[in-house]
Amino acid sequence: MSDNQSVLQLQPVQAAMAELADLDAVSSLYHRDPALWTRSPGAQQSIVERFGWLDVVGGFPEWREQLPAFAREVRASGLDRVLLAGMGGSSLAPELFARVFAGQTDGAALTVLDSTHPVAVARALDPADLTTTLVLVSSKSGGTEETRAFAARAGAVVPDHRHLAAITDGGSALETQARDEGWRAVWTNRADIGGRYSALSMFGMLPAALLGVDIDRVWASGAAMNARCTPSVPLAGNPAAQLAAFMGGLARTGRDKLTLLLPDALASLGDWVEQLVAESTGKDGVGVVPVVGESLGAPEAYGEDRAFVVCTLAGAGPDAGALAAAGHPVLTLDLTDREDVGGAFVQWEIATALAGALLGVNPFDEPNVTESKTNTRAVLAEAAGGALPEPEQGDVAGLLTGLEPGDYLSLQAYLPPGPDWAAPLAALRELVRARTTVATTFGWGPRFLHSTGQLHKGGPATVAALQIVDAPTGGPDVPGRHYDFATLVRAQAVGDLRSLRDHRRRAVQYAVSGPDDLTRLVERARTALGS
């Protein structure tokens, strides 16, 4: 009997599988029946309009021709670097492809800009680096404030508008802007594909083609996994149903901290899964809390709220044998090669949709995402008439010593992404787990607002949020706006802090001036938490 067979026989998993069978859930999903998730007519209509991801699991023949052809044309014109500017569902799959296939392809180099911190923006949109760069602005709605700001800045600094291209839904403001300004290309995606379910659509696969990834093999993997998950397959052999029952069934018993253990080559898959699961299930006071980026610890480092998914590449990956032996539930998913991320996308997408039915939530909406955006606009309006609120030096020790079993600590860093900042934050995560067994999550702001932000406000009230900010001043400016990127990122931090507190979440803001301040914070946390 395989390890997976053992864990799938756990009572909560078996009960969840039985419920999926009673609901005829797989058939309902493939027949696009919204009644699987809700009886509300309005909500049902919105769900019906979000099923396009099921149609693109294997790609379309015209895409297989058009996307590589565009990649060849871009390279032939002398552009050997792609900077993708986007957020959430528009950026996470491209970043996954860039990292998973690093050194494996001969296409353009691809980097992602999904931070509004002025240091990150200035670094990514340095005019000196843009002479051979295609800036690919990616936004489903075309109205995301961060992406609009990136587009405005890029338009002001690229050598000419032939260095700009867009991916968006048809009819969006971004499409209009790109066509009016004569950008190199405008790619329109199907509007019935939600952002976090869009990896195998234009939003993921055009960047993959520009990288030189064999997109045919990725789509073939997606199609093969889809064939294993259809209603014609017995439920007990459906890999997506098994994953859904594992995470949904165990979450209902309190093991809602879904901890992903990944080899370095697949590390970015965790970030993609994190958004999909957190934003889809974290609402109405329930949800699965994805935990990614933790190092593998001893069994006693984890509480009884954990469930583990180990991903391996051709059989190689973290060894979770000690965790399983200690009674922690562990499910293993193996990718045969890098192109098998296509199958992983499909398995996780279907599993997450089915887990939504088990948890009683609509996995296709994100009702709390707009709150922070609204608050940010209010703060920016305040800034136009005066100063921004001063950064707080909140009681971090009180937040940490108040952690209880079943909680999770969310580290939210409105800082320029980079190793100098990341290292002390990783040390803080290790410390909290070692001293409390409480799970920790981490996100760069404002990127996580388009990922785990929904979970923080709409999911279980077990979150304790530590928001870490600096106080950037000065440019780069945002053409056409009354604020610069320094003001924008500070307003986003304040706006989200207000949203968290409106939902009565434990939330502390802590201001730092540099990485050394974070290192000192870790030492104070060590003292507060004791031995």
Side-chain angles (χ1 to χ4, degrees):
M1 180 179 292
S2 72
D3 291 340
N4 278 356
Q5 289 174 325
S6 297
V7 77
L8 292 171
Q9 289 184 0
L10 292 172
Q11 192 280 328
V13 181
Q14 285 286 295
M17 287 290 280
E19 185 171 338
L20 290 175
D22 290 343
L23 291 169
D24 198 15
V26 175
S27 181
S28 294
L29 170 64
Y30 275 87
H31 285 94
R32 310 180 188 209
D33 181 1
L36 179 62
W37 300 280
T38 180
R39 297 294 178 181
S40 165
Q44 285 189 350
Q45 183 57 42
S46 68
I47 291 174
V48 168
E49 296 169 354
R50 300 287 285 270
F51 276 122
W53 58 276
L54 284 170
D55 297 323
V56 300
V57 292
F60 299 127
E62 61 270 26
W63 286 4
R64 292 194 185 93
E65 296 179 3
Q66 294 168 351
L67 304 191
F70 179 67
R72 291 191 296 270
E73 183 256 310
V74 167
R75 290 297 301 275
S77 68
L79 302 179
D80 59 6
R81 175 176 177 257
V82 175
L83 174 66
L84 185 136
M87 284 281 172
S90 300
S91 65
L92 288 169
E95 183 175 72
L96 181 155
F97 282 118
R99 293 185 176 181
V100 169
F101 290 91
Q104 305 292 314
T105 64
D106 58 0
L110 187 147
T111 55
V112 171
L113 172 61
D114 59 0
S115 170
T116 55
H117 195 286
V119 172
V121 175
R123 185 168 56 217
L125 289 173
D126 182 348
D129 294 334
L130 299 178
T131 56
T132 62
T133 296
L134 176 73
V135 179
L136 182 58
V137 182
S138 184
S139 171
K140 173 180 170 59
S141 69
T144 304
E145 183 57 30
E146 298 96 329
T147 309
R148 292 178 63 198
F150 295 153
R153 182 64 187 172
V157 297
V158 295
D160 64 67
H161 283 173
R162 296 289 292 168
H163 285 241
L164 293 168
I167 311 174
T168 187
D169 283 0
S172 74
L174 177 58
E175 181 190 17
T176 300
Q177 176 187 358
R179 295 196 189 283
D180 288 349
E181 295 179 358
W183 292 16
R184 175 180 288 272
V186 183
W187 296 88
T188 54
N189 203 56
R190 288 180 48 163
D192 60 353
I193 301 175
R196 58 187 178 275
Y197 291 85
S198 66
L200 290 169
S201 75
M202 285 284 184
F203 285 104
M205 300 303 276
L206 177 59
L210 289 164
L211 277 162
V213 173
D214 188 336
I215 57 176
D216 284 346
R217 289 183 61 189
V218 174
W219 270 320
S221 173
M225 176 58 72
N226 183 62
R228 297 173 61 195
C229 300
T230 63
S232 63
V233 176
L235 194 65
N238 181 322
Q242 292 172 352
L243 178 56
F246 178 82
M247 62 178 173
L250 289 169
R252 296 191 302 193
T253 68
R255 287 189 179 270
D256 62 344
K257 310 306 187 300
L258 186 72
T259 305
L260 275 74
L261 302 176
L262 304 153
D264 290 344
L266 297 177
S268 56
L269 178 61
D271 294 333
W272 180 84
V273 169
E274 179 182 51
Q275 182 203 18
L276 176 70
V277 172
E279 198 167 38
S280 298
T281 69
K283 58 201 72 170
D284 301 332
V286 300
V288 177
V289 180
V291 181
V292 302
E294 278 190 339
S295 61
L296 177 60
E300 59 270 20
Y302 303 101
E304 295 182 358
D305 57 346
R306 299 279 193 148
F308 295 88
V309 173
V310 178
C311 293
T312 60
L313 181 60
D319 182 0
L323 298 178
H328 289 293
V330 179
L331 185 71
T332 300
L333 308 179
D334 185 52
L335 279 65
T336 57
D337 54 37
R338 285 173 167 80
E339 287 79 10
D340 220 14
V341 294
F345 291 149
V346 174
Q347 183 179 10
W348 280 100
E349 286 170 349
I350 296 173
T352 300
L354 295 175
L358 292 171
L359 296 171
V361 299
N362 176 357
F364 304 111
D365 70 354
E366 47 285 324
N368 302 107
V369 167
T370 58
E371 297 172 13
S372 293
K373 297 178 182 179
T374 300
N375 285 341
T376 294
R377 287 193 292 270
V379 177
L380 287 171
E382 295 169 15
L388 284 162
E390 286 297 316
E392 300 177 11
Q393 290 283 348
D395 182 9
V396 178
L399 183 73
L400 298 181
T401 56
L403 293 171
E404 298 179 352
D407 287 343
Y408 72 100
L409 175 68
S410 170
L411 296 180
Q412 305 171 357
Y414 287 82
L415 304 167
D420 289 346
W421 294 101
L425 290 167
L428 182 56
R429 294 185 70 182
E430 293 275 354
L431 173 66
V432 170
R433 187 183 68 182
R435 299 290 171 85
T436 69
T437 72
V438 165
T440 65
T441 65
F442 169 73
W444 297 107
R447 158 185 166 137
F448 74 85
L449 295 180
H450 301 264
S451 177
T452 54
Q454 167 63 42
L455 174 73
H456 300 151
K457 271 86 75 175
T462 51
V463 61
L466 174 54
Q467 186 191 89
I468 303 172
V469 300
D470 60 357
T473 57
D477 67 296
V478 183
R481 310 290 196 279
H482 65 78
Y483 52 82
D484 58 15
F485 279 99
T487 304
L488 176 58
V489 73
R490 292 178 63 187
Q492 289 176 306
V494 172
D496 193 48
L497 187 66
R498 291 179 180 177
S499 184
L500 288 166
R501 289 173 175 170
D502 286 344
H503 284 276
R504 301 185 183 278
R505 299 317 197 217
R506 292 164 287 172
V508 168
Q509 185 183 79
Y510 189 81
V512 296
S513 59
D516 288 345
D517 283 350
L518 274 184
T519 301
R520 286 187 284 270
L521 177 63
V522 173
E523 292 309 309
R524 288 195 292 273
R526 193 182 307 278
T527 300
L529 291 172
S531 59

